[in-house]
Amino acid sequence: MNKNNYAIIMAGGVGSRFWPISKNSFPKQFHDMLGTGDTLIQKTFHRLAKFIPKQNIYILTNADYNDLVLEQLPEVSQEQVVLEPGMRNTGPCILYAALKIQKQNPDALMLVAPSDHWIEDEDAFAKNVITAFDFCQEKDALMTLGIEPTFPNTGYGYIEYDTETENVVKQVKQFREKPDYETAKSFIKQGNFVWNAGIFMWSVASVVKAFKSNQPELFQLFENGIPSYNTASESDFILENYEKAENISVDYAIMEGAKNVYVLSAEFDWNDLGTWGSLYDKLDKDADNNAVVNARTLVKDASGNMIRTKDDKIVVVEGLNDYIIIDKDDVLLIYPKEKEQDIKQLRNKVKDVFGDEYC
């Protein structure tokens, strides 16, 4: 274990496309979405703890989820839970965490990883991150892991990299927004595009320097708090100042404008588990090609369904194909899988008609 290796687990999202399991009060990262016995945030923490000291793993989350984090991760101290008093996207919270860590250890290397990704080969993941850490130790670099595209996905952003070097670490030419289908096909045909997984590595010195250069106002706001970071007065400073931060992603804040951005193509299978369909793809299927979590099922002429209930609930399905069937407390969702991207809007409609407590 290298004492200079740190990680930030991003765990503040709501996961609205996993409604009705994921709700504002209890979002998806705190659920056992895969039916393995571990929640997504637990799986992420244990994956990182294989090569990063547990005391160097910070959880960045909304203040409302503090108790959930401490309950699900008893190995973590309160000091490791970095609380956002409001939603300001990933730029401000990553800068805040980087300054906290830099004050504690100026030689720190940081991994920033979402709490809700599915990664099968954890040894390959560790190998890739350590390769990136070694690179960032030697160079002033902002690094990201890219996923080799397996089909022209229009739901991910893409990273175009330079092909002039044979090194496994490639310099990034540009980030590309989520493309239409024909553009995605052209990216894959070109051969030097990878999916943007939103997993970053850098030294604290490099990322702080990038914010100072590219986001001077945001940097100044959080730099003013350095005397209070890691002290009893930190929470007062954050409560007073966090809402003043611009709502901006780390991609827009520093990555897309910086000249020292590099990418390493991942050697592990990856899924961002953003929708019920993506979860369906990664789960084992029954004889009728239904993916079932927790339920006991009796099916006839029904296939391709994503079924999830409380433990051991009996579900009888006939004549229904390619549907999302989710039973959660006082909400039952039966919805076409092909319309899964609309669930976020559907959730908002339920909120308007029935109230916040169902969302």
Side-chain angles (χ1 to χ4, degrees), residues 7-11 44 47-48 58 60 94 110-117 119 125 129 197-201:
I8 295 290
I9 298 177
M10 307 292 288
T44 301
R47 180 187 309 132
L48 299 181
Y58 287 72
L60 215 160
I94 288 174
M110 280 176 62
L111 162 70
V112 178
S115 60
D116 52 3
H117 284 184
I119 292 172
F125 170 77
V129 173
I199 302 172
F200 306 105
M201 291 78 48

Side-chain angles (χ1 to χ4, degrees), residues 13-86:
V14 174
S16 53
R17 289 186 175 85
F18 273 109
W19 182 81
I21 296 298
S22 186
K23 296 183 179 180
N24 286 334
S25 59
F26 207 109
K28 68 173 180 176
Q29 58 268 29
F30 302 108
H31 288 278
D32 177 12
M33 300 299 297
L34 298 161
T36 62
D38 283 331
T39 65
L40 293 179
I41 194 171
Q42 287 171 333
K43 289 184 72 68
T44 301
F45 183 88
H46 296 147
R47 180 187 309 132
L48 299 181
K50 291 180 178 180
F51 62 98
I52 292 176
K54 288 183 178 181
Q55 67 272 20
N56 289 0
I57 301 175
Y58 287 72
I59 315 301
L60 215 160
T61 191
N62 189 283
D64 292 340
Y65 306 142
N66 182 65
D67 291 346
L68 279 172
V69 170
L70 294 175
E71 177 186 334
Q72 295 199 2
L73 299 175
E75 308 99 318
V76 165
S77 68
Q78 181 64 71
E79 290 70 29
Q80 291 169 253
V81 186
V82 183
L83 299 175
E84 304 169 81

